Amino acid sequence: LTTVHIESAAKLPLRGNLQADTSYKRVRKRGTDVLVTGRPEQGYFIDIFLGSPAQKFSVVVDTGSSNFAIAGSSDVGIVKYFNSKLSTTFKGKPDKSIKVQYFNGTWQGYFATDIFKFCKTCASDSVDVALITSSSNFFVSPTLWQGILGLGYKNLIQPKPDEADTVLDTLSSKGAVTQIFSIELCGRENQDTTQLNGVLELDATAGTEDGYQYTDIVKQWYYQIELTDLAVDGKSAVDIKSAVKDCYEFNKPHAIIDSGTTNIMLPTVVYWSVLASIEPFSYNATNITPDDSKDTVTQEEIKSFILRNDTLCKEDLQSVIFSWFPEIVISIAYNKTHQSQLTFLHSNT
C-alpha cells in the first residue's frame, strides 16, 4: 500500500458518493460552518433551532445514531426543554412512541414534526423529531445540551427505519443542504481552556484540494470504514502477516466513526496487543514530576492505568503525566491501493 500522511487534525467528510480516488482533485467549495463545542463529560454539541418561532437548543452531534431527539419535558439535569405549545408548526404524534437504548443511557418519548434549521440564517424545513418525555442516564447532570442529532444513515433510525427520516436526508431532499458534511472537533480559536472549539461544515462540495482525504464507506448504516493497521511507536500492534486476509483483526466485527463517544474501542486481540506495546514505555515514566510540583507518578500507577485497574489523574502534574506516552498511528484504507494515516501525539503543553 502507498501511504498518504494526514495530520492529526485532518478533516474526514462522512457523507457523499465520492469514492476514495487519488486522481480526484477538484477544489472544494466551502459550505456553512456551525460551531462545535467539546467539553469533558459532555461530548461534542452544536446549537440548533426548532419550532415557529424558533427555540434554540444545544444537541450532541452523533454519527453513531440517526434519530433526532429533543427534551420535551422537564428532566434530571436539563435547564430547559422544547415547549411544543409555543410552536405554531408543531405536529405531535403521541400514538407513535419510541424508546432508544445507547451504549450508556436510554430515553423514551414520541414522534413529531416541526421546523428545523442549523442556524438563524440557514435554510429550514419540517423534519421528524422525537420528544423525550423520560430518560435514564442519558442527560449528563448538569448538562449543557438538551438533545441529540443523529447524523448516521436512515438504516439506524429507531425503532425501525420506516418510522422516520433523518434530518440530513430530509433537508437534502428539499435542496436545503447537500449530502456532504465534515466535523472538525478542535483547532478553532478558543479563549476557554475548559473546552474545545471545532466546526460542523454543511452544504459543501467535494474535493481534495483543501486538505481533505476520503475513505470509502464499506457499509451505509454506521459510517463503517476499513482499518489497515494500528501502530505504536512505528510498529504494528498486530502481526500483519498472521492477520486474516483484508485486515480482519482490525475490523472485527466492524470499524466505525462515531462522534458520540470519545473512546477508541478495539477488537479484543488488537486491544491487548496495543496495551502490550504501550506498557514498555511506562518504564520511562517513573517519578515524572514538573519542577514546581511535589506530586509524582510511579511506574506502578501507570501500569495499573494501562491494565485498567485504576484511573490516572493527578491535578498538579497536568499533561506532564502522559509525556511518556508513545506515538500511535491509525491507518485507514484510502482506496484499493492507498492508505491514509492519522497520527496521535502526546502533548507536553
Side-chain angles (χ1 to χ4, degrees), residues 1 20 214-216 218 225-229 247 331-341:
L1 291 175
Y214 294 81
T215 183
D216 288 335
V218 177
I225 62 174
E226 183 178 0
L227 298 187
T228 56
D229 195 9
C247 310
S331 298
I332 301 173
Y334 185 48
N335 57 24
K336 293 182 178 179
T337 59
H338 292 66
Q339 65 181 2
S340 301
Q341 290 187 337

Side-chain angles (χ1 to χ4, degrees), residues 13-175:
L14 297 177
R15 278 279 185 119
N17 296 321
L18 177 66
Q19 298 297 306
D21 185 352
T22 54
S23 65
Y24 191 88
K25 295 295 184 182
R26 189 175 70 183
V27 176
R28 294 179 68 259
K29 176 184 176 182
R30 289 199 63 83
T32 301
D33 287 351
V34 178
L35 177 67
V36 173
T37 300
R39 294 181 70 97
E41 305 296 331
Q42 296 280 345
Y44 295 95
F45 48 93
I46 63 171
D47 289 338
I48 56 93
F49 298 84
L50 183 67
S52 302
Q55 300 175 43
K56 181 181 177 181
F57 299 97
S58 294
V59 293
V60 171
V61 283
D62 184 22
T63 60
S65 67
S66 297
N67 288 85
F68 169 41
I70 200 80
S73 61
S74 179
D75 206 332
V76 176
I78 63 173
V79 296
K80 64 178 179 178
Y81 59 89
F82 177 67
N83 190 336
S84 60
K85 294 180 180 180
L86 298 180
S87 176
T88 59
T89 49
F90 175 81
K91 295 180 180 180
K93 303 175 183 179
D95 58 322
K96 292 185 64 175
S97 61
I98 175 177
K99 182 177 182 179
V100 175
Q101 174 72 54
Y102 299 96
F103 188 78
N104 286 314
T106 184
W107 58 261
Q108 57 186 12
Y110 64 92
F111 281 108
T113 62
D114 210 338
I115 300 299
F116 170 96
K117 55 185 178 181
F118 280 102
C119 63
K120 289 184 177 180
T121 58
C122 293
S124 62
D125 212 317
S126 179
V127 303
D128 292 317
V129 56
L131 262 62
I132 301 174
T133 56
S134 63
S135 68
S136 176
N137 298 320
F138 177 67
F139 293 109
V140 180
S141 182
T143 186
L144 298 178
W145 45 268
Q146 300 82 42
I148 184 169
L149 178 61
L151 295 176
Y153 289 99
K154 182 178 173 65
N155 292 346
L156 293 182
I157 286 283
Q158 297 291 328
K160 296 184 297 184
D162 60 356
E163 294 283 349
D165 289 319
T166 70
V167 167
L168 201 60
D169 284 344
T170 299
L171 294 182
S172 64
S173 68
K174 303 296 179 59

